[in-house]
Amino acid sequence: MPKNKGKGGKNRRRGKNENETEKRELVFKEDGQEYAQVTKMLGNGRLEAMCFDGIKRLCHIRGKLRKKVWINQGDIILIGLRDYQDAKADVILKYTPDEARNLKTYGEFPETVRINETVVYSVDGLDEDIEFGDEVSSEDEADPVDAV
C-alpha cells in the first residue's frame, strides 16, 4: 500500500474561498456580450436567462465558473453571445448584488430590472383567468374558530 505524502485531497481545498473579500473591478459589456438575469436553472451546467435585449437564451456555465461560482435564479450575469447560434450563449461572469446595483445606477440596465428578487416568468399567461370572489359574511354567521 502506498503511503500518503500529500497534504490532503480535494476536500481540503473545498473550504477555501480566497477572493471573497477582495473588491474586483467592475466589468462592463463589450461587443458580443450582453447582460442577463437568470430565470431558470436547468441543471448539468445550463440555465435559462432573459437577456436585457429582450431575447430568452439557453446559457452554458463555462468550466472556470462551474463549481467555484454558484449561480442562482434571479442573479445578474454577463453572457457571451455566439456568432453561429443566437438562442444560446455562455456565462462569462456573475455580478454580486452590489455590482449589479452599481451597473443599474450607471444606466447599463433597464429600470424595470429587479436585482435581489427571484424572477418568475409565467408561460403564455396561465394565471390570467383566475378570479377571486369577495365573500362577505354576515354578523349572524359566527366563525367556528371564534366560538372556541
Side-chain angles (χ1 to χ4, degrees):
M1 300 250 329
K3 295 224 177 190
N4 293 333
K5 295 186 178 178
K7 291 190 169 107
K10 67 179 180 181
N11 289 333
R12 179 183 160 278
R13 286 179 266 130
R14 185 171 285 173
K16 293 183 181 177
N17 199 356
E18 293 154 356
N19 58 358
E20 182 88 19
T21 58
E22 297 174 11
K23 278 245 184 213
R24 66 178 184 210
E25 189 175 325
L26 196 58
V27 179
F28 292 98
K29 73 173 184 176
E30 298 173 4
D31 287 340
Q33 296 178 346
E34 188 62 49
Y35 300 114
Q37 188 164 23
V38 179
T39 56
K40 189 192 292 183
M41 296 301 296
L42 300 173
N44 199 19
R46 295 178 306 152
L47 56 92
E48 192 174 82
M50 188 67 187
C51 301
F52 294 157
D53 60 358
I55 301 172
K56 191 178 282 191
R57 290 187 172 94
L58 178 72
C59 300
H60 179 262
I61 303 172
R62 67 192 193 123
K64 187 176 180 182
L65 304 177
R66 197 163 186 173
K67 288 197 174 175
K68 295 173 182 68
V69 179
W70 291 104
I71 299 175
N72 297 313
Q73 187 174 346
D75 286 342
I76 305 292
I77 55 175
L78 179 67
I79 61 169
L81 304 175
R82 295 182 179 179
D83 297 335
Y84 50 94
Q85 291 173 313
D86 192 44
K88 293 186 180 180
D90 301 298
V91 178
I92 296 173
L93 182 77
K94 174 192 166 187
Y95 290 109
T96 63
D98 291 335
E99 291 172 334
R101 270 187 230 98
N102 289 343
L103 284 170
K104 191 171 181 180
T105 56
Y106 292 146
E108 293 285 321
F109 298 165
E111 289 298 317
T112 57
V113 174
R114 303 195 184 255
I115 292 171
N116 277 342
E117 301 172 19
T118 57
V119 183
V120 179
Y121 289 98
S122 63
V123 180
D124 297 325
L126 293 176
D127 297 337
E128 290 178 0
D129 48 340
I130 297 175
E131 293 182 13
F132 294 98
D134 294 332
E135 290 185 27
V136 179
S137 62
S138 63
E139 296 296 323
D140 298 336
E141 298 175 20
D143 269 349
V145 176
D146 294 338
V148 175

